[in-house]
Amino acid sequence: MRIDCNRGRGTWTSSGPNQLQFGPIATTRVLCPPDSLYNRIVQDLPAVRSYTLQENHLFLSLMADGGIYEFEPIEAQPAPSAPARSPSL
């Protein structure tokens, strides 16, 4: 997963429809800008218990009415074009 300026990898389980629980997540440790939500999101991931998809947005609900995160898709970045190559002889 991508969490602000860092990337993470881990496991997840689902015990039923719309149920979600993350296992341990290993993340990179790039220093994010001061207004980043990275630390808060990483701290809250173990409390995620369910999800829903609505209008192409992902909602992650925390246990005990701890809150809901809403994620929206990011626009796809065009792939960089390959530099022109001279024909080889």
Side-chain angles (χ1 to χ4, degrees):
M1 66 180 61
R2 182 170 178 189
I3 309 168
D4 202 348
C5 60
N6 285 287
R7 296 186 184 274
R9 177 176 278 198
T11 61
W12 58 271
T13 59
S14 179
S15 60
N18 294 76
Q19 301 301 303
L20 179 64
Q21 191 165 358
F22 289 102
I25 305 289
T27 65
T28 57
R29 299 289 185 162
V30 174
L31 185 59
C32 295
D35 60 345
S36 170
L37 292 176
Y38 168 78
N39 290 329
R40 175 79 184 262
I41 292 172
V42 170
Q43 179 182 349
D44 285 344
L45 281 176
V48 170
R49 290 298 178 264
S50 64
Y51 73 94
T52 188
L53 290 169
Q54 295 178 4
E55 297 180 18
N56 216 21
H57 287 217
L58 171 65
F59 295 85
L60 298 180
S61 299
L62 306 178
M63 66 182 184
D65 294 326
I68 298 173
Y69 282 104
E70 178 181 357
F71 297 92
E72 63 184 28
I74 57 173
E75 292 183 28
Q77 300 293 323
S81 58
R85 295 181 124 182
S86 301
S88 320
L89 297 176

